[in-house]
mmCIF file of all heavy atoms in Angstrom:
data_model
loop_
_atom_site.group_PDB
_atom_site.id
_atom_site.type_symbol
_atom_site.label_atom_id
_atom_site.label_comp_id
_atom_site.label_asym_id
_atom_site.label_seq_id
_atom_site.Cartn_x
_atom_site.Cartn_y
_atom_site.Cartn_z
ATOM 1 N N TYR A 154 2.517 32.133 158.312
ATOM 2 C CA TYR A 154 3.965 32.082 158.475
ATOM 3 C C TYR A 154 4.345 30.779 159.187
ATOM 4 O O TYR A 154 3.838 30.468 160.260
ATOM 5 C CB TYR A 154 4.470 33.282 159.284
ATOM 6 C CG TYR A 154 4.518 34.559 158.469
ATOM 7 C CD1 TYR A 154 3.359 35.300 158.242
ATOM 8 C CD2 TYR A 154 5.712 35.014 157.914
ATOM 9 C CE1 TYR A 154 3.385 36.455 157.490
ATOM 10 C CE2 TYR A 154 5.746 36.176 157.159
ATOM 11 C CZ TYR A 154 4.587 36.895 156.955
ATOM 12 O OH TYR A 154 4.618 38.046 156.209
ATOM 13 N N ALA A 155 5.240 30.022 158.571
ATOM 14 C CA ALA A 155 5.709 28.755 159.150
ATOM 15 C C ALA A 155 6.973 29.009 159.949
ATOM 16 O O ALA A 155 7.741 29.932 159.667
ATOM 17 C CB ALA A 155 5.978 27.736 158.049
ATOM 18 N N SER A 156 7.194 28.190 160.968
ATOM 19 C CA SER A 156 8.366 28.380 161.820
ATOM 20 C C SER A 156 9.580 27.692 161.222
ATOM 21 O O SER A 156 9.510 26.550 160.751
ATOM 22 C CB SER A 156 8.081 27.802 163.197
ATOM 23 O OG SER A 156 9.229 27.879 163.996
ATOM 24 N N GLU A 157 10.690 28.409 161.232
ATOM 25 C CA GLU A 157 11.947 27.823 160.798
ATOM 26 C C GLU A 157 12.735 27.249 161.963
ATOM 27 O O GLU A 157 13.463 26.263 161.817
ATOM 28 C CB GLU A 157 12.799 28.888 160.080
ATOM 29 C CG GLU A 157 12.149 29.416 158.801
ATOM 30 C CD GLU A 157 13.023 30.465 158.143
ATOM 31 O OE1 GLU A 157 14.127 30.756 158.677
ATOM 32 O OE2 GLU A 157 12.615 31.016 157.100
ATOM 33 N N TRP A 158 12.572 27.908 163.143
ATOM 34 C CA TRP A 158 13.365 27.459 164.297
ATOM 35 C C TRP A 158 12.739 28.005 165.580
ATOM 36 O O TRP A 158 12.258 29.140 165.613
ATOM 37 C CB TRP A 158 14.801 27.965 164.162
ATOM 38 C CG TRP A 158 15.685 27.632 165.339
ATOM 39 C CD1 TRP A 158 16.305 26.453 165.572
ATOM 40 C CD2 TRP A 158 16.041 28.500 166.425
ATOM 41 N NE1 TRP A 158 17.028 26.510 166.731
ATOM 42 C CE2 TRP A 158 16.890 27.762 167.294
ATOM 43 C CE3 TRP A 158 15.734 29.813 166.751
ATOM 44 C CZ2 TRP A 158 17.420 28.304 168.436
ATOM 45 C CZ3 TRP A 158 16.266 30.341 167.908
ATOM 46 C CH2 TRP A 158 17.106 29.582 168.740
ATOM 47 N N VAL A 159 12.694 27.180 166.630
ATOM 48 C CA VAL A 159 12.267 27.618 167.963
ATOM 49 C C VAL A 159 13.281 27.104 168.977
ATOM 50 O O VAL A 159 13.961 26.096 168.734
ATOM 51 C CB VAL A 159 10.856 27.093 168.329
ATOM 52 C CG1 VAL A 159 9.810 27.700 167.419
ATOM 53 C CG2 VAL A 159 10.808 25.575 168.281
ATOM 54 N N THR A 160 13.378 27.792 170.113
ATOM 55 C CA THR A 160 14.346 27.407 171.138
ATOM 56 C C THR A 160 13.836 26.196 171.925
ATOM 57 O O THR A 160 12.632 25.917 171.946
ATOM 58 C CB THR A 160 14.582 28.565 172.124
ATOM 59 O OG1 THR A 160 13.369 28.801 172.832
ATOM 60 C CG2 THR A 160 14.995 29.836 171.388
ATOM 61 N N PRO A 161 14.727 25.502 172.607
ATOM 62 C CA PRO A 161 14.281 24.373 173.448
ATOM 63 C C PRO A 161 13.347 24.810 174.572
ATOM 64 O O PRO A 161 12.548 24.014 175.048
ATOM 65 C CB PRO A 161 15.605 23.818 174.009
ATOM 66 C CG PRO A 161 16.660 24.264 173.046
ATOM 67 C CD PRO A 161 16.194 25.592 172.529
ATOM 68 N N GLN A 162 13.446 26.077 174.989
ATOM 69 C CA GLN A 162 12.586 26.553 176.067
ATOM 70 C C GLN A 162 11.114 26.636 175.653
ATOM 71 O O GLN A 162 10.222 26.711 176.496
ATOM 72 C CB GLN A 162 13.044 27.941 176.551
ATOM 73 C CG GLN A 162 14.306 27.938 177.393
ATOM 74 C CD GLN A 162 15.566 27.722 176.539
ATOM 75 O OE1 GLN A 162 15.542 27.971 175.327
ATOM 76 N NE2 GLN A 162 16.634 27.269 177.166
ATOM 77 N N PHE A 163 10.875 26.638 174.352
ATOM 78 C CA PHE A 163 9.497 26.718 173.874
ATOM 79 C C PHE A 163 8.662 25.577 174.439
ATOM 80 O O PHE A 163 7.544 25.783 174.913
ATOM 81 C CB PHE A 163 9.483 26.670 172.342
ATOM 82 C CG PHE A 163 8.100 26.726 171.747
ATOM 83 C CD1 PHE A 163 7.464 27.934 171.543
ATOM 84 C CD2 PHE A 163 7.429 25.562 171.407
ATOM 85 C CE1 PHE A 163 6.184 27.983 171.007
ATOM 86 C CE2 PHE A 163 6.154 25.591 170.866
ATOM 87 C CZ PHE A 163 5.527 26.824 170.669
ATOM 88 N N ARG A 164 9.226 24.370 174.414
ATOM 89 C CA ARG A 164 8.472 23.229 174.921
ATOM 90 C C ARG A 164 8.302 23.318 176.439
ATOM 91 O O ARG A 164 7.269 22.912 176.981
ATOM 92 C CB ARG A 164 9.164 21.931 174.538
ATOM 93 C CG ARG A 164 8.380 20.689 174.965
ATOM 94 C CD ARG A 164 8.902 19.435 174.318
ATOM 95 N NE ARG A 164 8.023 18.298 174.608
ATOM 96 C CZ ARG A 164 8.151 17.100 174.059
ATOM 97 N NH1 ARG A 164 9.115 16.879 173.163
ATOM 98 N NH2 ARG A 164 7.332 16.125 174.372
ATOM 99 N N ALA A 165 9.328 23.865 177.131
ATOM 100 C CA ALA A 165 9.228 23.989 178.580
ATOM 101 C C ALA A 165 8.074 24.920 178.964
ATOM 102 O O ALA A 165 7.398 24.713 179.975
ATOM 103 C CB ALA A 165 10.536 24.515 179.155
ATOM 104 N N ILE A 166 7.820 25.947 178.146
ATOM 105 C CA ILE A 166 6.751 26.902 178.447
ATOM 106 C C ILE A 166 5.389 26.360 178.030
ATOM 107 O O ILE A 166 4.413 26.436 178.781
ATOM 108 C CB ILE A 166 7.021 28.249 177.746
ATOM 109 C CG1 ILE A 166 8.278 28.918 178.336
ATOM 110 C CG2 ILE A 166 5.819 29.186 177.882
ATOM 111 C CD1 ILE A 166 8.689 30.182 177.612
ATOM 112 N N THR A 167 5.307 25.809 176.829
ATOM 113 C CA THR A 167 4.009 25.443 176.269
ATOM 114 C C THR A 167 3.654 23.974 176.455
ATOM 115 O O THR A 167 2.477 23.610 176.389
ATOM 116 C CB THR A 167 3.978 25.745 174.762
ATOM 117 O OG1 THR A 167 4.899 24.870 174.085
ATOM 118 C CG2 THR A 167 4.360 27.192 174.491
ATOM 119 N N GLY A 168 4.667 23.131 176.614
ATOM 120 C CA GLY A 168 4.413 21.692 176.673
ATOM 121 C C GLY A 168 4.379 21.046 175.307
ATOM 122 O O GLY A 168 4.329 19.818 175.186
ATOM 123 N N TYR A 169 4.386 21.862 174.243
ATOM 124 C CA TYR A 169 4.319 21.351 172.877
ATOM 125 C C TYR A 169 5.685 21.414 172.195
ATOM 126 O O TYR A 169 6.508 22.301 172.480
ATOM 127 C CB TYR A 169 3.358 22.194 172.025
ATOM 128 C CG TYR A 169 1.905 22.103 172.395
ATOM 129 C CD1 TYR A 169 1.284 23.128 173.102
ATOM 130 C CD2 TYR A 169 1.135 21.013 172.002
ATOM 131 C CE1 TYR A 169 -0.059 23.072 173.423
ATOM 132 C CE2 TYR A 169 -0.221 20.943 172.316
ATOM 133 C CZ TYR A 169 -0.820 21.973 173.030
ATOM 134 O OH TYR A 169 -2.146 21.906 173.337
ATOM 135 N N THR A 170 5.914 20.511 171.242
ATOM 136 C CA THR A 170 6.950 20.728 170.242
ATOM 137 C C THR A 170 6.321 21.567 169.130
ATOM 138 O O THR A 170 5.089 21.665 169.026
ATOM 139 C CB THR A 170 7.443 19.401 169.654
ATOM 140 O OG1 THR A 170 6.360 18.765 168.951
ATOM 141 C CG2 THR A 170 7.947 18.470 170.753
ATOM 142 N N TRP A 171 7.167 22.180 168.291
ATOM 143 C CA TRP A 171 6.582 22.979 167.212
ATOM 144 C C TRP A 171 5.827 22.111 166.212
ATOM 145 O O TRP A 171 4.836 22.534 165.630
ATOM 146 C CB TRP A 171 7.660 23.799 166.503
ATOM 147 C CG TRP A 171 7.038 24.770 165.541
ATOM 148 C CD1 TRP A 171 6.988 24.700 164.196
ATOM 149 C CD2 TRP A 171 6.295 25.945 165.899
ATOM 150 N NE1 TRP A 171 6.298 25.747 163.672
ATOM 151 C CE2 TRP A 171 5.855 26.534 164.690
ATOM 152 C CE3 TRP A 171 5.977 26.555 167.102
ATOM 153 C CZ2 TRP A 171 5.111 27.712 164.669
ATOM 154 C CZ3 TRP A 171 5.240 27.717 167.067
ATOM 155 C CH2 TRP A 171 4.814 28.284 165.865
ATOM 156 N N GLU A 172 6.274 20.879 166.042
ATOM 157 C CA GLU A 172 5.556 19.969 165.146
ATOM 158 C C GLU A 172 4.131 19.744 165.658
ATOM 159 O O GLU A 172 3.159 19.684 164.884
ATOM 160 C CB GLU A 172 6.302 18.637 165.031
ATOM 161 C CG GLU A 172 7.615 18.690 164.247
ATOM 162 C CD GLU A 172 8.717 19.388 165.029
ATOM 163 O OE1 GLU A 172 8.584 19.498 166.280
ATOM 164 O OE2 GLU A 172 9.704 19.823 164.393
ATOM 165 N N GLU A 173 3.981 19.598 166.983
ATOM 166 C CA GLU A 173 2.647 19.409 167.555
ATOM 167 C C GLU A 173 1.788 20.654 167.370
ATOM 168 O O GLU A 173 0.565 20.560 167.166
ATOM 169 C CB GLU A 173 2.756 19.062 169.044
ATOM 170 C CG GLU A 173 3.324 17.670 169.307
ATOM 171 C CD GLU A 173 3.598 17.421 170.776
ATOM 172 O OE1 GLU A 173 3.972 18.377 171.485
ATOM 173 O OE2 GLU A 173 3.459 16.255 171.205
ATOM 174 N N VAL A 174 2.401 21.832 167.446
ATOM 175 C CA VAL A 174 1.668 23.069 167.215
ATOM 176 C C VAL A 174 1.153 23.120 165.781
ATOM 177 O O VAL A 174 0.003 23.503 165.527
ATOM 178 C CB VAL A 174 2.549 24.293 167.529
ATOM 179 C CG1 VAL A 174 1.864 25.587 167.102
ATOM 180 C CG2 VAL A 174 2.878 24.346 169.009
ATOM 181 N N ARG A 175 1.981 22.707 164.834
ATOM 182 C CA ARG A 175 1.548 22.692 163.427
ATOM 183 C C ARG A 175 0.392 21.722 163.217
ATOM 184 O O ARG A 175 -0.548 21.992 162.482
ATOM 185 C CB ARG A 175 2.729 22.324 162.526
ATOM 186 C CG ARG A 175 3.684 23.488 162.255
ATOM 187 C CD ARG A 175 4.465 23.279 160.975
ATOM 188 N NE ARG A 175 5.271 22.055 161.036
ATOM 189 C CZ ARG A 175 6.554 22.033 161.386
ATOM 190 N NH1 ARG A 175 7.159 23.166 161.713
ATOM 191 N NH2 ARG A 175 7.228 20.910 161.419
ATOM 192 N N GLU A 176 0.477 20.584 163.911
ATOM 193 C CA GLU A 176 -0.607 19.601 163.777
ATOM 194 C C GLU A 176 -1.924 20.137 164.327
ATOM 195 O O GLU A 176 -3.002 19.780 163.843
ATOM 196 C CB GLU A 176 -0.230 18.305 164.509
ATOM 197 C CG GLU A 176 0.907 17.536 163.829
ATOM 198 C CD GLU A 176 1.364 16.354 164.668
ATOM 199 O OE1 GLU A 176 0.747 16.099 165.730
ATOM 200 O OE2 GLU A 176 2.346 15.683 164.272
ATOM 201 N N LEU A 177 -1.847 21.019 165.337
ATOM 202 C CA LEU A 177 -3.051 21.633 165.890
ATOM 203 C C LEU A 177 -3.671 22.654 164.937
ATOM 204 O O LEU A 177 -4.850 22.980 165.060
ATOM 205 C CB LEU A 177 -2.732 22.339 167.219
ATOM 206 C CG LEU A 177 -2.470 21.454 168.439
ATOM 207 C CD1 LEU A 177 -2.041 22.317 169.609
ATOM 208 C CD2 LEU A 177 -3.735 20.677 168.805
ATOM 209 N N GLY A 178 -2.857 23.147 163.990
ATOM 210 C CA GLY A 178 -3.354 24.158 163.068
ATOM 211 C C GLY A 178 -2.646 25.487 163.193
ATOM 212 O O GLY A 178 -3.128 26.500 162.673
ATOM 213 N N GLY A 179 -1.525 25.529 163.926
ATOM 214 C CA GLY A 179 -0.756 26.753 164.039
ATOM 215 C C GLY A 179 -0.792 27.368 165.428
ATOM 216 O O GLY A 179 -1.539 26.927 166.310
ATOM 217 N N TRP A 180 0.021 28.382 165.608
ATOM 218 C CA TRP A 180 0.212 29.014 166.913
ATOM 219 C C TRP A 180 -1.080 29.618 167.461
ATOM 220 O O TRP A 180 -1.341 29.614 168.666
ATOM 221 C CB TRP A 180 1.296 30.085 166.787
ATOM 222 C CG TRP A 180 1.604 30.861 168.036
ATOM 223 C CD1 TRP A 180 1.538 32.198 168.199
ATOM 224 C CD2 TRP A 180 2.033 30.331 169.296
ATOM 225 N NE1 TRP A 180 1.895 32.560 169.472
ATOM 226 C CE2 TRP A 180 2.214 31.421 170.178
ATOM 227 C CE3 TRP A 180 2.282 29.045 169.758
ATOM 228 C CZ2 TRP A 180 2.620 31.272 171.482
ATOM 229 C CZ3 TRP A 180 2.689 28.889 171.067
ATOM 230 C CH2 TRP A 180 2.856 29.995 171.923
ATOM 231 N N LEU A 181 -1.933 30.137 166.573
ATOM 232 C CA LEU A 181 -3.175 30.749 167.030
ATOM 233 C C LEU A 181 -4.053 29.751 167.783
ATOM 234 O O LEU A 181 -4.853 30.131 168.636
ATOM 235 C CB LEU A 181 -3.949 31.324 165.848
ATOM 236 C CG LEU A 181 -3.420 32.650 165.265
ATOM 237 C CD1 LEU A 181 -4.261 33.078 164.071
ATOM 238 C CD2 LEU A 181 -3.404 33.750 166.313
ATOM 239 N N ARG A 182 -3.909 28.455 167.456
ATOM 240 C CA ARG A 182 -4.717 27.447 168.145
ATOM 241 C C ARG A 182 -4.281 27.250 169.597
ATOM 242 O O ARG A 182 -5.039 26.747 170.414
ATOM 243 C CB ARG A 182 -4.621 26.107 167.399
ATOM 244 C CG ARG A 182 -5.194 26.143 165.998
ATOM 245 C CD ARG A 182 -6.682 26.391 166.044
ATOM 246 N NE ARG A 182 -7.265 26.417 164.710
ATOM 247 C CZ ARG A 182 -8.534 26.683 164.457
ATOM 248 N NH1 ARG A 182 -9.351 26.967 165.457
ATOM 249 N NH2 ARG A 182 -8.994 26.697 163.218
ATOM 250 N N VAL A 183 -3.058 27.635 169.902
ATOM 251 C CA VAL A 183 -2.550 27.511 171.267
ATOM 252 C C VAL A 183 -2.990 28.705 172.112
ATOM 253 O O VAL A 183 -3.189 28.590 173.321
ATOM 254 C CB VAL A 183 -1.010 27.388 171.273
ATOM 255 C CG1 VAL A 183 -0.467 27.252 172.688
ATOM 256 C CG2 VAL A 183 -0.579 26.190 170.432
ATOM 257 N N ILE A 184 -3.184 29.854 171.455
ATOM 258 C CA ILE A 184 -3.578 31.072 172.164
ATOM 259 C C ILE A 184 -4.994 30.910 172.721
ATOM 260 O O ILE A 184 -5.866 30.323 172.087
ATOM 261 C CB ILE A 184 -3.495 32.278 171.221
ATOM 262 C CG1 ILE A 184 -2.025 32.501 170.805
ATOM 263 C CG2 ILE A 184 -4.052 33.539 171.876
ATOM 264 C CD1 ILE A 184 -1.843 33.571 169.752
ATOM 265 N N HIS A 185 -5.199 31.428 173.924
ATOM 266 C CA HIS A 185 -6.510 31.346 174.573
ATOM 267 C C HIS A 185 -7.576 31.947 173.657
ATOM 268 O O HIS A 185 -7.388 33.043 173.113
ATOM 269 C CB HIS A 185 -6.464 32.113 175.901
ATOM 270 C CG HIS A 185 -7.606 31.836 176.814
ATOM 271 N ND1 HIS A 185 -8.869 32.294 176.570
ATOM 272 C CD2 HIS A 185 -7.672 31.131 177.978
ATOM 273 C CE1 HIS A 185 -9.680 31.904 177.536
ATOM 274 N NE2 HIS A 185 -8.984 31.188 178.411
ATOM 275 N N PRO A 186 -8.701 31.266 173.493
ATOM 276 C CA PRO A 186 -9.728 31.766 172.562
ATOM 277 C C PRO A 186 -10.181 33.191 172.860
ATOM 278 O O PRO A 186 -10.479 33.957 171.935
ATOM 279 C CB PRO A 186 -10.885 30.769 172.746
ATOM 280 C CG PRO A 186 -10.243 29.521 173.262
ATOM 281 C CD PRO A 186 -9.077 29.964 174.081
ATOM 282 N N ASP A 187 -10.227 33.559 174.124
ATOM 283 C CA ASP A 187 -10.697 34.902 174.485
ATOM 284 C C ASP A 187 -9.705 35.995 174.107
ATOM 285 O O ASP A 187 -10.059 37.186 174.125
ATOM 286 C CB ASP A 187 -10.992 34.984 175.983
ATOM 287 C CG ASP A 187 -12.161 34.114 176.400
ATOM 288 O OD1 ASP A 187 -12.927 33.692 175.517
ATOM 289 O OD2 ASP A 187 -12.297 33.840 177.613
ATOM 290 N N ASP A 188 -8.455 35.618 173.814
ATOM 291 C CA ASP A 188 -7.427 36.616 173.511
ATOM 292 C C ASP A 188 -7.100 36.704 172.025
ATOM 293 O O ASP A 188 -6.326 37.582 171.610
ATOM 294 C CB ASP A 188 -6.136 36.294 174.285
ATOM 295 C CG ASP A 188 -6.288 36.525 175.776
ATOM 296 O OD1 ASP A 188 -7.366 36.971 176.195
ATOM 297 O OD2 ASP A 188 -5.328 36.246 176.526
ATOM 298 N N ARG A 189 -7.663 35.831 171.222
ATOM 299 C CA ARG A 189 -7.272 35.809 169.804
ATOM 300 C C ARG A 189 -7.693 37.072 169.070
ATOM 301 O O ARG A 189 -6.916 37.636 168.286
ATOM 302 C CB ARG A 189 -7.883 34.576 169.124
ATOM 303 C CG ARG A 189 -7.272 33.269 169.600
ATOM 304 C CD ARG A 189 -8.018 32.064 169.047
ATOM 305 N NE ARG A 189 -7.535 30.825 169.680
ATOM 306 C CZ ARG A 189 -8.116 29.654 169.530
ATOM 307 N NH1 ARG A 189 -9.205 29.530 168.765
ATOM 308 N NH2 ARG A 189 -7.632 28.583 170.134
ATOM 309 N N ALA A 190 -8.902 37.536 169.319
ATOM 310 C CA ALA A 190 -9.381 38.723 168.615
ATOM 311 C C ALA A 190 -8.532 39.947 168.931
ATOM 312 O O ALA A 190 -8.295 40.806 168.068
ATOM 313 C CB ALA A 190 -10.851 38.988 168.961
ATOM 314 N N ALA A 191 -8.043 40.030 170.194
ATOM 315 C CA ALA A 191 -7.244 41.189 170.600
ATOM 316 C C ALA A 191 -5.879 41.214 169.921
ATOM 317 O O ALA A 191 -5.188 42.238 169.958
ATOM 318 C CB ALA A 191 -7.068 41.194 172.116
ATOM 319 N N LEU A 192 -5.465 40.102 169.300
ATOM 320 C CA LEU A 192 -4.156 40.044 168.647
ATOM 321 C C LEU A 192 -4.198 40.535 167.205
ATOM 322 O O LEU A 192 -3.156 40.597 166.548
ATOM 323 C CB LEU A 192 -3.619 38.612 168.673
ATOM 324 C CG LEU A 192 -3.115 38.126 170.032
ATOM 325 C CD1 LEU A 192 -2.659 36.680 169.938
ATOM 326 C CD2 LEU A 192 -1.972 38.990 170.523
ATOM 327 N N VAL A 193 -5.371 40.884 166.702
ATOM 328 C CA VAL A 193 -5.464 41.359 165.321
ATOM 329 C C VAL A 193 -4.606 42.595 165.088
ATOM 330 O O VAL A 193 -3.839 42.664 164.111
ATOM 331 C CB VAL A 193 -6.942 41.610 164.940
ATOM 332 C CG1 VAL A 193 -7.038 42.294 163.570
ATOM 333 C CG2 VAL A 193 -7.714 40.299 164.940
ATOM 334 N N PRO A 194 -4.652 43.640 165.954
ATOM 335 C CA PRO A 194 -3.766 44.804 165.734
ATOM 336 C C PRO A 194 -2.287 44.441 165.792
ATOM 337 O O PRO A 194 -1.476 45.011 165.047
ATOM 338 C CB PRO A 194 -4.149 45.752 166.880
ATOM 339 C CG PRO A 194 -5.520 45.334 167.287
ATOM 340 C CD PRO A 194 -5.549 43.850 167.095
ATOM 341 N N PHE A 195 -1.926 43.495 166.663
ATOM 342 C CA PHE A 195 -0.534 43.027 166.754
ATOM 343 C C PHE A 195 -0.097 42.430 165.423
ATOM 344 O O PHE A 195 0.978 42.752 164.896
ATOM 345 C CB PHE A 195 -0.460 42.003 167.891
ATOM 346 C CG PHE A 195 0.826 41.237 167.991
ATOM 347 C CD1 PHE A 195 1.977 41.838 168.464
ATOM 348 C CD2 PHE A 195 0.882 39.902 167.626
ATOM 349 C CE1 PHE A 195 3.164 41.127 168.583
ATOM 350 C CE2 PHE A 195 2.063 39.174 167.730
ATOM 351 C CZ PHE A 195 3.209 39.793 168.217
ATOM 352 N N ALA A 196 -0.927 41.561 164.868
ATOM 353 C CA ALA A 196 -0.585 40.925 163.592
ATOM 354 C C ALA A 196 -0.557 41.942 162.460
ATOM 355 O O ALA A 196 0.337 41.916 161.600
ATOM 356 C CB ALA A 196 -1.586 39.815 163.298
ATOM 357 N N ASP A 197 -1.529 42.849 162.442
ATOM 358 C CA ASP A 197 -1.570 43.853 161.372
ATOM 359 C C ASP A 197 -0.319 44.719 161.374
ATOM 360 O O ASP A 197 0.214 45.072 160.308
ATOM 361 C CB ASP A 197 -2.809 44.731 161.531
ATOM 362 C CG ASP A 197 -4.101 43.981 161.213
ATOM 363 O OD1 ASP A 197 -4.022 42.891 160.608
ATOM 364 O OD2 ASP A 197 -5.183 44.486 161.596
ATOM 365 N N ARG A 198 0.152 45.059 162.583
ATOM 366 C CA ARG A 198 1.343 45.909 162.664
ATOM 367 C C ARG A 198 2.568 45.176 162.118
ATOM 368 O O ARG A 198 3.386 45.759 161.398
ATOM 369 C CB ARG A 198 1.572 46.322 164.127
ATOM 370 C CG ARG A 198 2.718 47.284 164.340
ATOM 371 C CD ARG A 198 2.793 47.757 165.787
ATOM 372 N NE ARG A 198 3.941 48.601 166.019
ATOM 373 C CZ ARG A 198 3.987 49.901 165.781
ATOM 374 N NH1 ARG A 198 2.907 50.495 165.295
ATOM 375 N NH2 ARG A 198 5.077 50.601 166.019
ATOM 376 N N LEU A 199 2.700 43.906 162.442
ATOM 377 C CA LEU A 199 3.828 43.124 161.938
ATOM 378 C C LEU A 199 3.778 42.983 160.417
ATOM 379 O O LEU A 199 4.790 43.147 159.719
ATOM 380 C CB LEU A 199 3.836 41.741 162.590
ATOM 381 C CG LEU A 199 4.236 41.677 164.062
ATOM 382 C CD1 LEU A 199 4.001 40.275 164.608
ATOM 383 C CD2 LEU A 199 5.702 42.069 164.250
ATOM 384 N N LEU A 200 2.602 42.681 159.891
ATOM 385 C CA LEU A 200 2.460 42.493 158.443
ATOM 386 C C LEU A 200 2.679 43.797 157.687
ATOM 387 O O LEU A 200 3.020 43.788 156.499
ATOM 388 C CB LEU A 200 1.089 41.918 158.129
ATOM 389 C CG LEU A 200 0.824 40.510 158.696
ATOM 390 C CD1 LEU A 200 -0.582 40.055 158.368
ATOM 391 C CD2 LEU A 200 1.850 39.513 158.149
#
């Protein structure tokens, strides 16, 4: 899923612009590696 719009506060929290997040390979790349696996049920529920 690609982002259509994010608030200005996004950069204040993460330090990134959304363009920089896309260049990293997406939002999952910003998430702490130890927490990525635990987000599978979250993603499955949304999908």
